[in-house]
């Protein structure tokens, strides 16, 4: 009973599917109308015009005057709808245009506005500030869904010409939505004429305006299968096909030519004609370029695999360098991260980050070098006039020179131990205390208030020719003194950054200690990684295992998606309420209250049926529900579980084939390694002996995944019901299950390796793997971390290498085409090939480690040409003495 087309067919404003004979809730038959296009939303487009007419002095006088046409009980609602009085609907009075007390002049003004909407004038006037509607429609592109309605049509470009060429045109006599007070007031057009002559003439003029001007030509039924109110074209807009079944819109050439260039550019930026056609042309050119360069694509794909094998060869010789370099980089990141936090916390306002770091580094070096004697007093108060410390370096780590040094400049000589006749010349005041200038220590000798020589802190002349003099800090002071405040104003944030710095440095120290303590284990992990690289280099076809596995999985997924689409598209007839609702909030809901149309997931949508409202207790209800595009039920849950189980089984088979091939290769004589068909044997073992174990292990994974997805489903249901607490609880449950699933996947992979090594069933192998991991937790942890790093390096190497090779191949073969899109495709191909290599490599590493541990626990050391133990692991095993 399903219809997969419902998952992708375009939909109209009421949720009906285009080109479908039977729509939900006896919807419109849109068979033969395959394109989703747009027509005018007459209610929104005429809203300000209607208010201009109905809220003018001339109409208010008729509706509420001495011989009022509107019942007194409706007066306030009428004024509120016009925003003529303060009320809950309005934030202020609405500017609709000039107010008219004369019905005839009002009719002329409203008629001019409506003619622009009816396409009876130059369409450019509608989108011009000089038109009768002013700038109302100049900004429509920022909220285009307000003025246009989605409908299903035969062709995209259906406009006034299509309507005029039809032999069965329709006409729409506008009237406001029945659920608004304007609808009640609009009954003016049928009101009985009574009262005095002037009053009668006024009513007649208003009625004539409604009857004459509030009419729209509508598309015929054979072009637009909806009520005429939904089939009014929008002037000045044309449509064209953007993608199969979907039309995009833009201004006609006459409108674009008439408006200003700035407005035209804004239109293009908001998704107009030029942008749509540009995207289509660019995309078409990309597709064309790729089709022309398919030979280059084939070459680059082959080179991606070659790059992968090159990586394995390099890994065989450079794995140690990569590992130790990665370890150093991690240590450096933690150290620099801590330093960055500390510098940022100490940075003064207006100071440069790098300069602050330099000062802090200089202070730390000076403090660490012990450049001061124990007899020095490093106390600094105020501007440092009484400082008697032994600081010999400036903030920039420049060496201070002795005060009064003969080799110094003439100005510096004024700061000598004895000023003599130079004292008081204006360069150095006589009141400078020369007894404070001692050797090459930093000082602030001038303490005369207002004197030019009065520095902010201690300083010295330096031996740096480019830095004549510079301020100093007392020995042991690392952080700079910020007299003008800090770059980060919040003291709490500065404290937090400083704490983060200490934490990162502590972690770096612990990390360094851990690396030193685990050096032997790291070296073992490097040896294991080298052996895994040798296995892959000698059995290159093993890389095709995940490729073939992925191909089979893709075929299976396509078959499953086709099957599941029938189930997803079977939206039940009672998926959403078929009734009408008084307000949008009742139908759609609020932030805290679920709506009648959105109280379950997948949720429906809401639309306003202005032509078929229902009366509920004397009030019009016009809001209705549209059904969701898809739904979930127990049948889909069964199908989805089959999907999860099959996917998990495919992954398990791939992991086991690699593990079995690697273990078979490991226990083959060294002289015969690489010459025996271990892959063929692994495939035979899979299908002949262990398929049941793999199916059972994948079944457990699939059950856990199904439970997690069911939790996700109920979380969405809780969100639809506005139950935030239950949604959060379900999300936490998902996280817990996800963590458990990851642990179980890790255990399963190691269980499959145990099955490959020992040939035991799944439960026994899982138990053996669990206890093996417990006994060798540190080894597994170190290997997991290093293996992860090597995988990242491998993916990066293969991806970048493929992209670079692809660029040179493409440019050498097609020098007349832009390489951007092909190179992006090549990088993606390189990434996928890199994933294939590193996933196989990761399983091979884990298998080699378990084979090594099996040899270690059994005490078997069978090395050499006739032995099986790879030479890279020979030094790590000692044979156990046999017992009598």
């Amino acid at each position: 009973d399903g219809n997969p087309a419902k998952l992708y067919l375009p939909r109209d404003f009421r949720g009906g599917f285009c080109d479908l004979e039977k729509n939900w809730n006896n919807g419109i038959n849109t068979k033969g109308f395959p394109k989703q296009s747009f027509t005018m939303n007459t209610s929104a487009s005429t809203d300000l015009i209607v208010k201009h007419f109905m809220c003018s002095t001339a109409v208010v006088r008729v509706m509420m005057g001495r011989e009022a046409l509107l019942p007194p009980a409706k007066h306030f609602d009428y004024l509120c709808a016009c925003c003529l009085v303060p009320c809950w609907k309005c934030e202020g009075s609405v500017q609709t245009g000039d107010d008219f007390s004369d019905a005839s002049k009002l009719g002329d003004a409203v008629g001019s506005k409506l003619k622009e909407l009816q396409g009876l004038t130059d369409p450019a006037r509608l989108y011009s500030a000089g038109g009768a509607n002013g700038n109302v429609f100049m900004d429509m592109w920022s909220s285009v869904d307000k003025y246009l309605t989605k409908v299903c049509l035969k062709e995209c470009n259906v406009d006034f010409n299509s309507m005029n060429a039809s032999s069965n045109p329709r006409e729409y006599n506008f009237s406001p939505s029945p659920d608004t007070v304007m609808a009640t007031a609009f009954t003016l057009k049928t009101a009985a004429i009574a009262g005095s002559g002037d009053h009668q003439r006024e009513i007649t003029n208003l009625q004539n305006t409604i009857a004459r001007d509030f009419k729209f030509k509508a598309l015929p039924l054979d072009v637009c299968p909806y009520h005429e109110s939904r089939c009014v074209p929008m002037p000045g807009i044309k449509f064209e096909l953007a993608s199969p079944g979907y039309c995009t819109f833009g201004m006609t050439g006459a409108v674009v030519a008439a408006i200003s260039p700035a407005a035209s550019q804004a239109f293009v930026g908001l998704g107009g004609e030029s942008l749509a056609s540009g995207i289509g042309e660019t995309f078409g050119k990309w597709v064309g370029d790729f089709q022309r360069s398919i030979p280059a694509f084939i070459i680059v794909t082959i080179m991606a695999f070659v790059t992968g094998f090159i990586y394995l060869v390099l890994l065989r010789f450079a794995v140690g360098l990569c590992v130790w370099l990665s370890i150093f980089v991690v240590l450096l990141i933690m150290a620099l991260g801590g330093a960055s936090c500390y510098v940022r916390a100490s940075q003064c306002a207006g100071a440069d980050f790098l300069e602050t770091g330099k000062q802090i580094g200089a202070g730390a070096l000076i403090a660490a070098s012990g450049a001061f004697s124990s007899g020095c007093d490093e106390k600094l108060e105020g501007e440092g006039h009484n400082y008697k410390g032994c600081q010999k370096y400036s903030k920039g780590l420049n060496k201070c020179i002795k005060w009064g040094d003969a080799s110094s400049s003439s100005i510096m000589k004024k700061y000598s131990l004895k000023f003599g006749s130079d004292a008081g010349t204006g360069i150095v005041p006589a009141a400078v205390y020369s007894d404070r200038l001692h050797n090459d220590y930093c000082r602030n000798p001038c303490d005369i208030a207002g004197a030019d020589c009065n520095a902010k802190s201690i300083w010295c002349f330096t031996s740096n020719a480019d830095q004549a003099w510079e301020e100093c800090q007392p020995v042991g002071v690392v952080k700079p003194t910020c007299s003008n405040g800090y770059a980060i104003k919040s003291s709490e944030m500065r404290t937090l950054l400083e704490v983060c710095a200490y934490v990162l440095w502590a972690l770096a120290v612990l990390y360094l200690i851990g690396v030193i303590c685990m050096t032997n284990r790291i070296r073992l992990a490097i040896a294991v990684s080298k052996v895994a690289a040798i296995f892959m280099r000698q059995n290159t076809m093993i890389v095709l295992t995940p490729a073939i596995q992925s191909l089979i999985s893709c075929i299976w997924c396509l078959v499953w998606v086709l099957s599941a689409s029938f189930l997803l598209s079977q939206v039940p007839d009672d998926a959403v309420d078929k009734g009408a609702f008084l307000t949008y909030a009742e139908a759609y809901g609020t932030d805290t209250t679920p709506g009648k149309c959105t109280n379950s997931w997948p949720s429906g949508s809401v639309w306003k049926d202005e032509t078929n409202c229902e009366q509920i207790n004397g009030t019009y209800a016009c809001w209705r529900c549209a059904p969701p595009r898809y739904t979930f039920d127990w049948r889909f849950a069964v199908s989805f579980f089959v999907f999860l189980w099959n996917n998990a089984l495919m992954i398990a088979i791939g992991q086991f084939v690699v593990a079995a091939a690697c273990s078979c290769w490991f226990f083959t004589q060294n002289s015969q390694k690489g010459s025996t068909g271990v892959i063929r044997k692994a495939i035979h073992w899979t299908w002949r002996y262990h398929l049941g174990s793999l199916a059972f292990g994948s079944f457990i994974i699939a059950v856990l995944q199904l439970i997690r997805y069911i939790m996700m489903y109920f979380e969405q249901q809780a969100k639809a019901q506005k139950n935030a607490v239950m949604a959060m609880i379900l999300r936490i449950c998902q996280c817990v299950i996800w963590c458990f699933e990851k642990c179980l996947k890790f255990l399963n992979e190691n269980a499959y390796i145990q099955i490959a090594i020992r040939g035991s069933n799944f439960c026994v192998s899982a138990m053996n793997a669990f206890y093996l991991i417990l006994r060798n937790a540190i080894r597994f942890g170190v290997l997991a971390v290093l293996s992860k790093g090597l995988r990242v390096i491998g993916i990066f190497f293969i991806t970048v290498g493929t992209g670079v090779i692809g660029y040179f191949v493409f440019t050498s073969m097609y020098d007349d085409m832009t390489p951007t899109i092909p190179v992006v495709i090549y990088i993606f191909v390189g990434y996928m090939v890199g994933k294939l290599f590193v996933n196989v490599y990761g399983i091979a590493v884990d298998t080699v480690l378990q084979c090594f541990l099996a040899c270690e626990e059994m005490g078997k050391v069978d090395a050499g040409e006739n032995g099986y133990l790879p030479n890279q692991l020979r030094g790590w095993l000692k044979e156990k003495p046999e017992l009598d």
Side-chain angles (χ1 to χ4, degrees), residues 491-546:
S491 60
E492 292 81 4
M493 182 58 68
R494 294 198 303 272
T495 303
L496 178 62
L497 284 173
E498 196 167 338
V499 170
C500 289
Y502 293 136
V503 170
L504 286 172
W505 284 334
L507 291 176
V509 172
L510 294 175
Y511 175 79
L512 181 61
I513 294 173
V515 169
I516 294 173
C517 294
M518 293 189 293
T519 300
N520 285 335
R521 292 182 176 87
I522 295 174
R523 290 172 56 209
L524 173 61
I526 293 173
V528 169
S529 300
K530 287 182 178 180
V531 173
I534 295 172
F535 159 71
M536 291 189 63
R537 183 169 55 85
Q538 292 183 355
N539 301 273
T540 54
M541 297 300 292
I542 196 66
V543 180
L544 297 179
T545 300

Side-chain angles (χ1 to χ4, degrees), residues 301-351:
T301 301
I302 296 173
M303 293 305 299
F305 280 90
V306 173
T307 305
F309 289 118
I310 292 174
Y311 171 72
L312 292 178
V313 173
L314 294 177
L315 193 64
R316 160 69 178 83
F317 300 101
V319 61
L321 176 63
C322 291
V323 168
W324 289 114
L325 184 61
S326 301
I327 291 173
F328 173 75
V329 168
V330 173
L331 180 63
L332 187 64
I333 289 174
M334 287 192 288
L336 292 179
S340 298
C341 292
Y342 190 84
V343 171
R344 182 60 177 157
S346 308
Q347 185 179 355
C348 297

Side-chain angles (χ1 to χ4, degrees), residues 76 124 218 227 405 467 485 509 803 847 850:
F76 181 80
H227 185 270
D405 192 331
Q467 188 78 48
V509 172
T847 304
Q850 291 204 31

Side-chain angles (χ1 to χ4, degrees), residues 54 175-188 620:
M54 297 301 301
S175 61
S177 177
D179 62 338
T180 64
V181 70
M182 285 298 181
T184 304
F186 218 69
T187 57
L188 163 68
Y620 281 101

Side-chain angles (χ1 to χ4, degrees), residues 82 111 114 161 322 336 352 392 442 536 538 548 579 590 797:
C82 290
L114 287 170
N161 294 329
C322 291
L336 292 179
D352 184 73
K392 296 183 178 182
C442 295
M536 291 189 63
Q538 292 183 355
I548 297 173
T590 63
F797 180 87

